[in-house]
């Protein structure tokens, strides 16, 4: 059943395990309020559905499944096949990679509007990383036949290319940050990239942020403590909330050699 939650989101009462095999017509969850879901998806503007007409979106959504994940749950596992893709409607999904020696790194935080599993779904390859939902995340599930039935192949191909292009830009930018920015700057840049004006709170621990920034937890703690003292962020248990995005853009820690107006950081000015 799908309805409105007290916070204004969708309330979905389903199994915590989003079994992709259950997207078949016999067990597919129908949307109680299609217009409400269509409006929410259009507001998110997911790249994989970019350019689709209202009729195409409505057809796609009427056969998709919506799942609320009540507890932290792994939905894609590195090295295993993906039977379906996921569009994040609410909440956050952690994307992690484990190397052959067992070292695990938090590679990305997927937020509303992002799609996961589509590369593996259409390529037939196993998952390049693992994806785990934060509690309360809301997902839209789809399989390849469903999206191909409602989204024209030419449009879908262009959208997939756009997704991969944006990921290359993101990954190349993060490589540049890792190579040329000091630890405090890396913490700041990752906070900027993981948050937005509309979604200022990031569900991440200091240990995980240290993994992103490639520095020690102590460095993250010192940097965040200064930001908190200046009223730029506030910290909760496993969360960091940006209170003043413009000041985060301009933030300097100690004798950081990189100016806050450096080209990479400058791209966040428009969203501050």
């Amino acid at each position: 059943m799908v309805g409105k939650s007290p916070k204004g989101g969708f309330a979905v009462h389903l199994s915590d395990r989003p079994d992709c095999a259950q997207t078949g017509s016999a067990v597919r969850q129908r949307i109680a309020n299609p217009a409400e879901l269509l409006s929410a998806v259009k507001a998110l503007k997911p790249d994989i559905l970019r350019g689709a007409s209202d009729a195409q979106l409505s057809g796609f959504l009427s056969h998709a499944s919506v799942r609320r994940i009540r507890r932290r749950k792994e939905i894609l596992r590195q090295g295993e096949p993906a039977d379906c893709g996921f569009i994040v409607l609410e909440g956050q999904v952690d994307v992690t990679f484990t190397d052959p020696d067992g070292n695990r790194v938090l590679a990305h935080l997927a937020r509303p509007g992002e799609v996961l599993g589509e590369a593996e779904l259409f390529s037939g390859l196993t998952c390049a990383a693992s994806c785990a939902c934060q509690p309360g995340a809301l997902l839209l599930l789809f399989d390849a036949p469903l999206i191909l039935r409602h989204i024209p192949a030419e449009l879908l191909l262009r959208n997939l290319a756009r997704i991969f292009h944006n990921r290359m830009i993101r990954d190349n930018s993060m490589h540049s940050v890792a190579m040329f920015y000091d630890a405090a700057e890396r913490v700041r840049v990752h906070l900027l990239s993981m948050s937005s004006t509309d979604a200022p709170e990031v569900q991440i621990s200091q240990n995980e942020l240290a993994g992103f920034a490639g520095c020690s937890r102590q460095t993250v703690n010192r940097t965040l403590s200064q930001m908190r003292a200046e009223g730029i962020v506030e910290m909760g248990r496993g969360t960091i909330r940006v209170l003043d995005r413009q000041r985060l853009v301009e933030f300097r820690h100690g004798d950081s050699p990189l100016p806050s107006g450096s080209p990479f950081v400058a791209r966040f000015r428009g969203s501050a």
Side-chain angles (χ1 to χ4, degrees):
M1 182 178 72
V2 180
K4 266 308 212 188
S5 72
K7 293 184 178 180
F10 294 98
V12 185
H13 306 290
L14 297 167
S15 167
D16 283 331
R17 182 174 178 81
D19 186 352
C20 294
Q22 293 184 359
T23 57
S25 58
V27 293
R28 182 176 292 119
Q29 295 292 330
R30 299 296 178 178
I31 304 303
N33 190 336
E36 185 178 285
L37 181 63
L38 176 63
S39 177
V41 170
K42 288 176 67 176
L44 287 175
K45 300 178 181 178
D47 277 342
I48 198 167
L49 302 176
R50 187 182 181 90
S53 67
D54 282 5
Q56 291 166 340
L57 285 176
S58 295
F60 170 72
L61 295 173
S62 68
H63 292 86
S65 297
V66 177
R67 302 288 172 98
R68 173 78 70 187
I69 309 300
R70 298 187 185 93
R71 299 185 299 272
R72 182 176 177 85
K73 176 65 65 174
E74 189 176 65
I75 57 172
L76 294 171
R77 183 169 297 169
Q78 183 177 331
E80 296 186 3
D83 295 324
C84 64
F86 302 85
I87 297 174
V88 184
L89 298 180
E90 294 177 4
Q92 179 178 292
V93 178
D94 299 347
V95 182
T96 59
F97 174 77
T98 304
D99 71 13
D101 294 324
N103 300 308
R104 179 175 170 272
V105 62
L106 180 61
H108 180 60
L109 299 180
R111 298 174 70 83
E114 293 192 56
V115 62
L116 300 164
E118 79 296 337
E120 293 82 0
L121 186 64
F122 289 107
S123 70
L125 299 174
T126 58
C127 293
S130 295
C131 298
C133 292
Q134 294 280 1
L138 185 66
L139 305 176
L140 183 74
L141 283 68
F142 62 91
D143 57 19
L146 173 61
I147 197 166
L148 286 169
R149 187 161 62 247
H150 295 282
I151 308 299
E154 182 179 352
L155 177 59
L156 182 60
L157 179 61
R158 185 164 63 246
N159 289 346
L160 289 171
R162 180 186 182 89
I163 291 169
F164 300 151
H165 179 264
N166 288 340
R167 286 177 184 166
M168 284 191 290
I169 291 177
R170 182 191 73 203
D171 291 346
N172 290 339
S173 297
M174 290 301 113
H175 284 310
S176 177
V177 169
M179 288 289 291
F180 302 114
Y181 284 44
D182 72 2
E185 285 286 315
R186 295 197 299 270
V187 171
R188 176 167 67 100
V189 167
H190 282 294
L191 278 180
L192 284 168
S193 67
M194 290 185 286
S195 63
S196 67
T197 302
D198 295 331
E201 186 170 283
V202 182
Q203 295 179 340
I204 190 170
S205 69
Q206 291 190 27
N207 280 332
E208 291 170 330
L209 183 55
F212 263 117
C215 63
S216 68
R217 184 186 180 282
Q218 289 74 19
T219 297
V220 169
N221 184 264
R222 285 196 301 270
T223 304
L224 292 178
S225 294
Q226 182 178 342
M227 291 180 180
R228 180 172 58 185
E230 296 182 19
I232 298 173
V233 302
E234 66 178 9
M235 292 178 284
R237 185 170 183 176
T239 64
I240 302 170
R241 185 176 186 85
V242 177
L243 301 177
D244 192 329
R245 190 168 180 81
Q246 182 59 49
R247 291 180 64 198
L248 180 59
V249 169
E250 303 294 342
F251 177 76
R252 297 289 300 280
H253 177 78
D255 298 321
S256 174
L258 286 170
S260 59
S262 56
F264 183 79
V265 175
R267 75 184 179 91
F268 293 107
R269 293 183 185 278
S271 62

